Amino acid sequence: MADLALERKLVIKNIPISGEAAETQIYASSYYYTELAVARMLFDLNVQYPIPPARMQEKIDRIEGDLKITLDDVQRSALIEAGRSGLFVLTGGPGTGKTTTINAMIRLFEAEGMEMMLAAPTGRAAKRMTEATGVEARTIHRLLEVTMTSDEGGGGSFGRNEENPLETDVVIIDEMSMVDIFLMNALLKAIPVGTRLILVGDSNQLPSVGPGNVLKDIMESRAFPVVTLTKIFRQAEESDIIVNAHKINRGEQILFNNKSRDFFLLRRDNAQVIVNVMLQLISEKLPGYVGAQPMDIQVLTPMRKGELGVERLNRILQERLNPQDSKKIEYEYRNMLFREGDKVMQVKNNYQLAWEVRSRYGIPTDGGTGVFNGDVGIIREINRFAETMEIQFDDNHIVEYPFAQLDELEHAYAITIHKSQGSEYPAVVMPLLTGPRMLFNRNLLYTGVTRASRCVTMIGSEETIQQMIANANEQKRHTGLCERIREITRIQEEQF
């Protein structure tokens, strides 16, 4: 009986490897069937809508005039694919015109009288998308109308699904590299055939925290229209953040002469010296330089542990940026000391926590449930009598936490580069001295650098940074979505 139960949880597949014998792979059945379902639904959405080329070119010319822009040939081809495809992928690095192309797509669909929904995996990414397009974007969870369940695990279900699909003509999802296989499955269930799905992202970013490598697998399947933007536009060329990010991605070494206006390396070879320099930068030098508050400047580090890890740096930064004060109430929970004014991050999805938005007079004007992994906010009030902590998140959602749920929070003065995905900060400070080769790789450095909009400052070893650029190895994800898509494509071709 035990063996039978195990077999029901596992799927064994013989996967053909190019030029070699088939390789046996063993899946947890939930992962296998989720990948299969995602592949099937992607294939169903992949329909073509014929549009006469001359009419399409006329539309694009009109959009360029309305937006006062000039699209290059690749951006034009992206608009053509978006106009005629049920499923389309737009990818590219920083400064390559993704936002401009998305805005042109929105104008294209508006001209056709189509309704659109925009979404991203995190609150910060959704906020950035709203600011860049002028169209309201939501988190994918809120797009799917997540609802709380009564189980003890704090799990949730989605109000939008195959029985209650999204009522729109176009869905555009940004930061697709962050979407894992289970969230993709839930999203696709809510998108009926006939609705266009546009996936936007940078496949060179770190993969999702959850299982899967969805964006990369979809692209590698070569089964769907994909346009990759590669040209760095003139305005972006003036930013060494963008120029050096592309060099990192290509594996090219960077010249650190500190003549840049937005990309710096401060060479230090001692961890405590690095910490001291970091504190001076955040509290004194950078705020005036980038026009931001110290709380808005983000420390990104590869590791949680160690002298330059998240845990130690948060304790140090808390004392500098939000020191002890008789007017600030504190509460110690396990090994963390929370203080009013602290910058904190939610570290797991919680579909049951209630939130509200308040007017300037403190009157609730909106509300709902759900706080998600990666949401960042400020502790506004600690009530020892009621044993609650009130936090205001970046999207102005105010959440009251019972003390018993404080294990879902961490300080966020310093966060791992993995946790920064989908976010953008005016300035990023990265302490980089030594660390494990498997972790200190090109992919991680690229992701960290591209989180900054105005200034990147690395403090530490130039040798370590150049080694990271040279280290193209990344932890391999053993996913099967690409093969599942190819299987379905082969079956359809054989049938027709």
Side-chain angles (χ1 to χ4, degrees):
M1 291 293 292
D3 290 343
L4 180 59
L6 181 62
E7 286 180 15
R8 288 174 178 165
K9 294 181 180 178
L10 299 176
V11 174
I12 301 174
K13 292 285 289 183
N14 291 318
I15 307 296
I17 306 300
S18 301
E20 301 176 14
E23 179 184 86
T24 300
Q25 296 186 356
I26 301 175
Y27 288 72
S29 61
S30 61
Y31 286 37
Y32 173 79
Y33 288 113
T34 300
E35 286 185 335
L36 194 60
V38 167
R40 175 76 263 177
M41 290 185 285
L42 288 170
F43 189 88
D44 289 343
L45 290 175
N46 188 32
V47 295
Q48 292 290 303
Y49 302 93
I51 300 178
R55 182 181 169 209
M56 194 66 190
Q57 293 297 340
E58 181 182 326
K59 287 176 178 292
I60 294 173
D61 291 342
R62 189 178 300 119
I63 289 168
E64 286 184 319
D66 291 342
L67 295 178
K68 296 181 174 55
I69 58 173
T70 301
L71 301 171
D72 69 7
D73 291 342
V74 181
Q75 289 176 307
R76 280 179 162 259
S77 68
L79 256 64
I80 292 169
E81 289 293 351
R84 70 187 182 189
S85 302
L87 174 64
F88 170 62
V89 178
L90 176 69
T91 184
T96 56
K98 288 199 301 293
T99 299
T100 299
T101 308
I102 293 171
N103 283 328
M105 287 180 191
I106 290 171
R107 288 296 183 100
L108 175 67
F109 294 130
E110 284 178 340
E112 294 294 311
M114 294 183 177
E115 294 186 7
M116 285 167 286
M117 290 183 175
L118 277 60
T122 66
R124 281 195 166 219
K127 183 179 179 182
R128 285 175 57 201
M129 196 178 189
T130 299
E131 292 169 347
T133 63
V135 179
E136 181 189 3
R138 289 170 278 180
T139 64
I140 297 174
H141 286 84
R142 294 198 171 102
L143 178 76
L144 299 180
E145 298 177 8
V146 64
T147 56
M148 65 182 181
T149 59
S150 58
D151 60 35
E152 295 181 358
S157 60
F158 294 109
R160 293 290 180 173
N161 49 43
E162 58 268 53
E163 296 177 357
N164 183 30
L166 295 168
E167 298 174 5
T168 188
D169 299 303
V170 183
V171 176
I172 304 176
I173 306 295
D174 199 8
E175 295 289 353
M176 261 303 298
S177 63
M178 298 178 66
V179 177
D180 66 36
I181 191 67
F182 293 120
L183 185 56
M184 189 66 178
N185 186 45
L187 174 67
L188 292 174
K189 283 181 179 180
I191 300 179
V193 175
T195 299
R196 300 170 194 246
L197 176 60
I198 297 174
L199 307 176
V200 184
D202 183 349
S203 60
N204 294 305
Q205 299 283 358
L206 291 166
S208 58
V209 175
N213 206 352
V214 175
L215 178 62
K216 191 166 284 189
D217 282 351
I218 290 173
M219 293 174 60
E220 289 182 356
S221 74
R222 301 184 181 276
F224 311 109
V226 176
V227 171
T228 301
L229 304 176
T230 57
K231 178 183 176 182
I232 303 177
F233 286 88
R234 184 179 301 173
Q235 186 175 359
E237 284 181 339
E238 297 174 3
S239 167
D240 286 325
I241 296 174
I242 290 173
V243 171
N244 287 333
H246 284 273
K247 286 184 177 181
I248 290 168
N249 191 41
R250 294 191 298 265
E252 299 175 7
Q253 297 297 298
I254 296 172
L255 175 63
F256 290 105
N257 56 15
N258 287 344
K259 293 181 180 180
S260 170
R261 291 178 298 177
D262 61 7
F263 198 93
F264 305 98
L265 168 63
L266 304 181
R267 295 173 179 82
R268 303 292 188 275
D269 58 8
N270 178 276
Q272 188 53 50
V273 173
I274 290 173
V275 169
N276 294 339
V277 172
M278 177 190 71
L279 291 173
Q280 186 180 32
L281 283 171
I282 295 170
S283 61
E284 300 174 22
K285 304 290 187 181
L286 284 174
Y289 188 73
V290 299
Q293 297 299 313
M295 284 286 195
D296 297 324
I297 298 168
Q298 189 61 57
V299 175
L300 300 181
T301 178
M303 302 172 295
R304 290 193 58 83
K305 305 288 186 180
E307 291 184 291
L308 297 176
V310 163
E311 294 177 5
R312 179 172 184 258
L313 293 182
N314 268 319
R315 290 192 295 270
I316 294 170
L317 286 162
Q318 181 191 39
E319 287 308 309
R320 173 60 68 93
L321 301 181
N322 187 34
Q324 190 174 33
D325 189 311
S326 60
K327 297 178 181 179
K328 297 176 182 177
I329 298 173
E330 299 177 350
Y331 180 73
E332 188 169 357
Y333 181 83
R334 297 182 181 175
N335 63 338
M336 289 183 289
L337 178 65
F338 292 108
R339 180 179 294 141
E340 289 177 342
D342 272 345
K343 182 179 178 180
V344 292
M345 174 184 282
Q346 174 79 11
V347 294
K348 63 170 72 171
N349 290 338
N350 186 318
Y351 304 96
Q352 296 183 327
L353 274 173
W355 56 266
E356 63 182 23
V357 176
R358 299 174 187 166
S359 70
R360 58 187 294 186
Y361 303 107
I363 300 171
T365 59
D366 192 12
T369 58
V371 185
F372 305 109
N373 188 3
D375 288 352
V376 174
I378 301 294
I379 299 174
R380 295 304 183 197
E381 181 181 352
I382 296 175
N383 189 326
R384 287 180 170 275
F385 179 77
E387 296 189 341
T388 59
M389 181 184 295
E390 188 176 274
I391 297 172
Q392 182 173 350
F393 286 94
D394 285 342
D395 49 11
N396 289 322
H397 288 185
I398 297 173
V399 180
E400 190 175 87
Y401 283 77
F403 282 176
Q405 287 184 268
L406 296 185
D407 60 337
E408 298 184 11
L409 294 170
E410 291 181 355
H411 290 102
Y413 300 100
I415 62 175
T416 63
I417 295 174
H418 282 84
K419 284 286 189 183
S420 73
Q421 287 176 271
S423 298
E424 184 178 81
Y425 312 98
V428 162
V429 177
M430 285 195 286
L432 297 169
L433 190 57
T434 60
R437 177 175 170 79
M438 182 176 67
L439 184 61
F440 276 53
N441 58 41
R442 181 188 304 171
N443 195 219
L444 191 85
L445 183 64
Y446 174 79
T447 301
V449 166
T450 53
R451 297 309 88 205
S453 61
R454 301 176 207 163
C455 183
V456 170
T457 305
M458 292 180 269
I459 316 170
S461 165
E462 180 177 355
E463 182 181 2
T464 295
I465 295 166
Q466 303 291 20
Q467 286 173 353
M468 290 178 76
I469 295 171
N471 181 13
N473 296 324
E474 51 189 280
Q475 287 181 300
K476 180 173 175 56
R477 292 210 165 182
H478 297 277
T479 61
L481 178 59
C482 179
E483 185 57 32
R484 299 293 80 75
I485 294 170
R486 288 173 177 172
E487 282 178 356
I488 291 175
T489 303
R490 286 195 295 268
I491 292 169
Q492 293 296 320
E493 289 174 349
E494 289 170 1
Q495 289 180 346
F496 297 100

